[in-house]
Amino acid sequence: MKTSSLPALHATDTATSVTGLRTADDSGLVATPYPEPRLSWSLTGERPGILQHAYEIQVSTDPSFTDTASSGEVESDTVTGHPWPAQPLSSREVRYWRVRVRTDLGWTDWSDAARVEAALLDDVDWAARPVHVPSDRGRTSPGPVPLLRREFHLPAEPVSARLYVTSLGVHRTTVNGRPVSDDLLEPGWTSYPNRLLYATYDVTDLLRPGTNALCAAIGDGWYRGHLTWHKNRNIYGDTTALLAQLEIGLADGTRVTVTTDGRWKGGYGDLLAADLYDGCERDLRHEPDGWQLPGFVDNDWEPVATVPLPTGLTQRAHPPVRVVQVIRPGQQTLPDGTIAVDAGENLTGWLRLRVNGPAGSTVTVRHAEVLDGDGRLLTSILRGARATDQYTLAGNTAELKPEFTFHGFRHAEIVTSPSVTIEAVEVDVVASDLRRIGEFRCSEERVNTLYDNVVRSQRGNFLAVPTDCPQRDERLGWTGDIMAFAPTACATFDSRTFLDSWLTDLRIEQRPDGAVPLVIPDVPLGELPPTELPFAGSAAGWGDAATVVPAALFDAYGERSLLGRHYATMRAWVEFTVAHLDEDGTWSGNAQLGDWLDPAAPPEDPARATTDSAYVATAFVAHSARLLADAARDLGHVEDAERYAALHRRTAEAAWRKWGEHARTTQTGCALALQFGIVPADKRAVVGETLAALVRANDGRIATGFLGTPFVLPALTSTGHTAEAYQLLLNTECPGWLYHVARGATTMWERWDAIRPDGTIDVEKAGTMLSFNHYAYGAVATWLYRTVAGLRPLDPGYRTLELAPRPGGTLTSAEASIATPYGTASVAWSISDDALTVEAVLPPGTTGRFSTPEGWRSTEAVERLGSGSHLLSLHRVTTS
């Protein structure tokens, strides 16, 4: 750290600007949880070939930078994750920071200043204690949602106000009847006994001189509500509670603090029940009129009780859950008077209704992903989730929407009392509000639909945690699903802080021996449907989320500090697998889930795949060892890098000795052998041809499950079998990606054959595992970005890109763009006759390498590319 800047210099690169200043906090909140926030920025400029060589950061206590701490000149060509160059922030402290960089032409001007404010960084900063309604404690079934309120007096105009708030359960908090934010299901789901997130809101504009009211409703959420197919309750506690601390600065300099304490009152209102799986029940006649406003008479409300301050309080650093889209659905009235609603796509959220009816009349809304043969909701696949919202009206016109729940659905049915009129129906799409950064389009509309389905599945399952599905009695953070999908997730939405938070819970929940639970946050699973297999341990491919997800984040966003934060977790998982290797160096002694839902597996036993699960497990040991070696190398852990690179080699050799012949009999076996470095180098071409032959022999139908699918297309193209890769992609027969599209899918399915070719649904599977919104097979989108369009990172965070389009199949054009940490990179190609045109844009600060597709020749040398726009022309190579 330096306390002085470089000597004053005039900018010599006036054409380049430093913009987009940001910290590692992506919450959108007014404060940050980091006392030493990591700093990032972007470069903008029209001239080509912009490169950063060094930077200087200044930090000041005022926006005019009259006093500064400086990093000094730091040699660096990256724009992400740089260290804070000043004293750490203390709680509530505000600082300002700015950046200038030295490019290939010299120093830029200083950027505009960015403001950073610290949240409450230590438990001693909390004067508040959680409060709850005593009569609500100990419930073992869903019941009335407790309401909490307190009034307080402000003697003067407020000029600043910060509300620090969280709950045991999920909360909706208001000041003087107005919501403090549009965030939903706060504080999300974490490893509650060890880490509870809170949010910091600027509520200055909600306050006024005189009497004010701070109020909240607290739903069960994940904390106390039903979880898993056993519908266990009270896993984390038997009471919900609110923790709130409101700190107000007045115009006369006085400070007022309002906390949750014994002065609060508690009662109940119109929310008779709210459960994530079952839905919401409301009786609007029971809503206490004006309870969120000053002056409400709460004499008959209960005094609250307090509970101890939770462990691990930290401010949320990732985006909240919000309504991210509103859809006007189609609707029709069925012969029995039921109103059938079709949102047009499978989604996560709820119906929002405007209705009119007399007091005591009812409205019931039921949800499902698909319809049965009679055109009615197929709800058996929801298992124990009722997915039903019920309303009793207070009279006249009412706006209805559920609270403290969500549903996975495309279709809904509305049943009302005869006297009720439905005036309007809208669908609120709900998800963690991650920024969309990736786009893909091509000339084949069915592939575009497939890509859109991948996007919807990620959006619908990235809700507080990365879930497997949003509809049935599950919705858990399965490690295997996100292991398969992480690279796609990181290219499609900015998933950096969202998955960083989830990995933090993985680190907390990891067993002392390094084992990783099947779901994060970890909850008791008991028997796994449909196998009824008691599976308490870790599984290969699932536990490997500990290595694959951090590696994917580093690859996409280039933040070395993030990789370092999860390195110990990566290492512990690999050491766990090492401890379970047999004398021959393979992992074959534990129960495994294997290539889950291989299309050839029996419906009643999705773990019984065609590829030996012990081979798959051993292959993943090698894969994680190599990822760990790469991470160690990037972090400067030289001895670890050598140790785990050697482990990769030994494990790969052991797997090939034992299963070399078997691996060549299945698509998954070949794909893992090729992508994980299992196959010896001199046999890669043979195994690549074997995989291609398997695809041809199966007429282009996919034959992989959750663990093989992400790797089969890359394995084909890496060994020169682009034609067979496109044959797999474009196959419309079951099983296959475009088979789903042909059957009308709008999200990814859990099973390849969820709907039969005749359009019927297998009722045998319907009672066990049949989700129509499951993103694992959407891992194909990484191949669309990186191979079809040809946009891939060579260096972490896309500092160097490879432009490597691989045209094939019936496609005549494709394009992709990704908003990288440096700016938006894009590539688009099109074929006309024997000419291939490629247009590419590289953001400032990056360089690129063009890889010419087989069968084409460029008219000029284009291997190395600088930032800016490029137009490349290639011609088909003709053979005599």
Side-chain angles (χ1 to χ4, degrees):
M1 182 193 309
K2 298 185 179 180
T3 57
S4 61
S5 174
L6 297 172
L9 296 171
H10 293 294
T12 52
D13 185 357
T14 56
T16 302
S17 300
V18 183
T19 59
L21 274 62
R22 56 198 182 274
T23 71
D25 181 345
D26 196 27
S27 66
L29 298 168
V30 70
T32 180
Y34 304 121
E36 297 181 272
R38 289 276 170 168
L39 307 177
S40 303
W41 54 86
S42 299
L43 305 178
T44 59
E46 295 299 321
R47 70 177 179 86
I50 296 173
L51 290 175
Q52 175 183 301
H53 295 300
Y55 69 83
E56 181 187 8
I57 300 170
Q58 285 186 343
V59 175
S60 178
T61 57
D62 68 274
S64 59
F65 288 83
T66 54
D67 64 284
T68 62
S70 170
S71 64
E73 181 175 356
V74 179
E75 298 286 331
S76 175
D77 61 0
T78 65
V79 300
T80 58
H82 294 292
W84 180 252
Q87 290 296 322
L89 295 164
S90 57
S91 294
R92 309 176 183 86
E93 185 178 7
V94 174
R95 303 265 191 94
Y96 300 87
W97 64 283
R98 62 182 184 179
V99 185
R100 61 177 178 174
V101 306
R102 178 165 56 79
T103 73
D104 46 307
L105 296 185
W107 286 98
T108 67
D109 280 319
W110 286 105
S111 69
D112 291 338
R115 181 183 184 278
V116 61
E117 174 182 330
L120 302 183
L121 304 178
D122 197 284
D123 284 356
V124 298
D125 297 312
W126 288 90
R129 291 297 180 267
V131 298
H132 69 96
V133 180
S135 62
D136 178 61
R137 187 160 203 160
R139 276 198 292 106
T140 57
S141 61
V145 170
L147 310 178
L148 295 159
R149 71 184 310 274
R150 184 192 162 186
E151 294 187 13
F152 56 95
H153 182 77
L154 294 181
E157 185 76 28
V159 294
S160 68
R162 297 289 183 266
L163 175 65
Y164 308 95
V165 61
T166 188
S167 58
L168 307 178
V170 288
H171 69 89
R172 166 175 50 87
T173 301
T174 62
V175 173
N176 295 329
R178 295 165 61 189
V180 300
S181 76
D182 58 0
D183 303 346
L184 301 169
L185 298 172
E186 283 285 297
W189 188 12
T190 53
S191 176
Y192 292 132
N194 307 287
R195 192 169 77 108
L196 181 66
L197 303 180
Y198 67 89
T200 305
Y201 299 112
D202 182 349
V203 296
T204 311
D205 292 342
L206 305 183
L207 296 167
R208 63 195 184 198
T211 305
N212 294 262
L214 177 59
C215 305
I218 314 296
D220 289 341
W222 298 275
Y223 188 85
R224 190 172 66 168
H226 288 126
L227 288 175
T228 80
W229 44 89
H230 301 293
K231 294 191 76 172
N232 297 324
R233 285 185 56 83
N234 299 356
I235 288 177
Y236 296 103
D238 67 353
T239 185
T240 59
L242 177 73
L243 175 65
Q245 186 158 308
L246 175 58
E247 300 183 358
I248 307 162
L250 304 181
D252 62 3
T254 305
R255 297 197 64 80
V256 175
T257 300
V258 179
T259 66
T260 43
D261 55 24
R263 287 171 284 185
W264 286 60
K265 289 289 195 71
Y268 301 96
D270 74 302
L271 277 164
L272 305 185
D275 184 79
L276 294 175
Y277 293 169
D278 288 345
C280 177
E281 183 180 354
R282 310 189 78 146
D283 188 336
L284 276 62
R285 299 172 298 178
H286 293 174
E287 178 74 352
D289 186 28
W291 75 274
Q292 298 175 87
L293 300 173
F296 175 76
V297 179
D298 57 11
N299 294 338
D300 60 345
W301 284 35
E302 298 178 49
V304 299
T306 62
V307 296
L309 196 69
T311 299
L313 278 169
T314 185
Q315 185 187 269
R316 169 173 53 80
H318 56 277
V321 176
R322 289 194 178 111
V323 174
V324 297
Q325 183 184 3
V326 177
I327 294 173
R328 294 189 179 276
Q331 61 187 81
Q332 60 175 315
T333 302
L334 302 179
D336 65 357
T338 299
I339 298 174
V341 176
D342 182 356
E345 63 185 59
N346 205 12
L347 55 88
T348 303
W350 51 68
L351 291 191
R352 183 157 40 90
L353 311 176
R354 186 173 70 247
V355 306
N356 188 286
S361 56
T362 61
V363 178
T364 300
V365 185
R366 298 167 59 241
H367 306 79
E369 293 186 294
V370 292
L371 303 178
D372 64 18
D374 297 323
R376 304 304 294 264
L377 302 180
L378 180 61
T379 58
S380 59
I381 61 177
L382 301 178
R383 300 192 304 224
R386 290 180 59 240
T388 300
D389 299 322
Q390 298 173 280
Y391 307 93
T392 302
L393 305 184
N396 301 319
T397 299
E399 298 282 344
L400 304 179
K401 66 176 181 179
E403 196 155 17
F404 304 138
T405 189
F406 61 90
H407 309 292
F409 70 104
R410 170 176 175 168
H411 301 278
E413 291 184 354
I414 306 171
V415 176
T416 73
S417 298
S419 52
V420 173
T421 301
I422 304 294
E423 298 180 347
V425 179
E426 290 185 325
V427 178
D428 287 341
V429 181
V430 175
S432 288
D433 194 10
L434 308 188
R435 179 172 62 100
R436 178 76 179 274
I437 60 173
E439 299 282 352
F440 172 86
R441 276 292 176 268
C442 70
S443 58
E444 174 53 72
E445 281 305 314
R446 294 173 301 176
V447 175
N448 293 338
T449 299
L450 167 63
Y451 173 77
D452 292 341
N453 293 354
V454 175
V455 173
R456 289 192 196 97
S457 282
Q458 180 175 355
R459 182 184 65 187
N461 280 291
F462 271 39
L463 195 157
V465 298
T467 60
D468 58 326
C469 61
Q471 75 296 97
R472 66 189 181 212
D473 53 0
E474 196 161 350
R475 314 183 198 187
L476 305 173
W478 282 94
T479 51
D481 298 55
I482 193 59
M483 185 287 300
F485 191 72
T488 292
C490 292
T492 306
F493 289 87
D494 186 346
S495 304
R496 178 180 55 89
T497 54
F498 180 87
L499 290 178
D500 182 30
S501 176
W502 182 80
L503 283 169
T504 299
D505 286 316
L506 189 151
R507 181 174 72 240
I508 291 169
E509 306 276 25
Q510 190 172 28
R511 310 284 193 247
D513 64 355
V516 173
L518 294 178
V519 297
I520 301 293
D522 184 24
V523 292
L525 296 179
E527 295 175 343
L528 300 184
T531 62
E532 297 186 355
L533 170 69
F535 199 98
S538 288
W542 275 253
D544 292 278
T547 57
V548 172
V549 178
L553 288 169
F554 184 54
D555 193 40
Y557 308 118
E559 292 197 9
R560 195 165 268 104
S561 60
L562 188 154
L563 187 66
R565 191 154 55 247
H566 301 295
Y567 179 76
T569 304
M570 300 173 73
R571 193 177 188 276
W573 166 251
V574 172
E575 289 297 334
F576 169 83
T577 65
V578 169
H580 286 77
L581 295 179
D582 298 334
E583 289 186 3
D584 65 357
T586 68
W587 190 8
S588 57
N590 295 77
Q592 297 288 350
L593 298 178
D595 194 22
W596 185 257
L597 286 169
D598 173 335
E604 72 280 1
D605 189 1
R608 202 193 310 167
T610 54
T611 307
D612 190 314
S613 63
Y615 162 67
V616 171
T618 306
F620 268 91
V621 175
H623 182 46
S624 278
R626 185 161 63 177
L627 291 176
L628 181 58
D630 291 343
R633 196 172 300 109
D634 282 311
L635 294 170
H637 304 320
V638 177
E639 291 184 3
D640 274 5
E642 295 173 352
R643 166 178 162 75
Y644 294 113
L647 173 63
H648 168 263
R649 290 191 297 271
R650 290 197 308 274
T651 308
E653 290 167 0
W656 188 254
R657 279 196 305 270
K658 190 167 185 176
W659 291 290
E661 292 300 320
H662 167 73
R664 284 176 275 188
T665 65
T666 70
Q667 291 182 18
T668 290
C670 290
L672 298 188
L674 291 166
Q675 293 303 103
F676 292 177
I678 304 297
V679 60
D682 62 348
K683 292 184 172 58
R684 272 189 65 83
V686 172
V687 175
E689 173 52 38
T690 300
L691 175 57
L694 289 171
V695 171
R696 293 191 298 268
N698 206 30
D699 295 324
R701 292 188 295 270
I702 195 82
T704 55
F706 273 30
L707 299 189
T709 297
F711 306 103
V712 64
L713 294 177
L716 286 165
T717 48
S718 71
T719 53
H721 297 284
T722 302
E724 286 81 4
Y726 274 97
Q727 186 182 8
L728 268 185
L729 175 70
L730 299 174
N731 162 56
T732 58
E733 300 299 317
C734 184
W737 287 286
L738 294 194
Y739 172 76
H740 291 183
V741 172
R743 301 299 338 147
T746 60
T747 45
M748 305 305 297
W749 297 351
E750 181 178 25
R751 292 180 181 266
W752 289 112
D753 58 348
I755 298 179
R756 296 188 181 105
D758 64 3
T760 60
I761 296 174
D762 192 324
V763 293
E764 179 184 355
K765 295 173 186 172
T768 54
M769 289 174 49
L770 195 60
S771 161
F772 289 88
N773 194 350
H774 237 83
Y775 55 59
Y777 291 139
V780 64
T782 295
W783 189 76
L784 299 180
Y785 288 124
R786 297 187 175 188
T787 303
V788 176
L791 183 61
R792 66 177 69 192
L794 280 180
D795 290 332
Y798 295 84
R799 168 61 185 80
T800 306
L801 301 95
E802 183 176 41
L803 307 177
R806 293 295 180 262
T810 57
L811 273 63
T812 57
S813 66
E815 59 185 281
S817 66
I818 295 176
T820 78
Y822 292 84
T824 299
S826 65
V827 61
W829 60 261
S830 62
I831 296 174
S832 179
D833 297 326
D834 289 330
L836 171 64
T837 301
V838 181
E839 298 178 68
V841 176
L842 278 63
T846 67
T847 59
R849 186 179 77 191
F850 184 76
S851 173
T852 303
E854 185 178 358
W856 298 88
R857 179 182 296 119
S858 175
T859 58
E860 55 186 313
V862 293
E863 185 174 338
R864 305 296 297 181
L865 303 171
S867 68
S869 300
H870 303 273
L871 179 63
L872 310 175
S873 297
L874 297 92
H875 296 280
R876 198 184 302 272
V877 176
T878 58
T879 56
S880 56

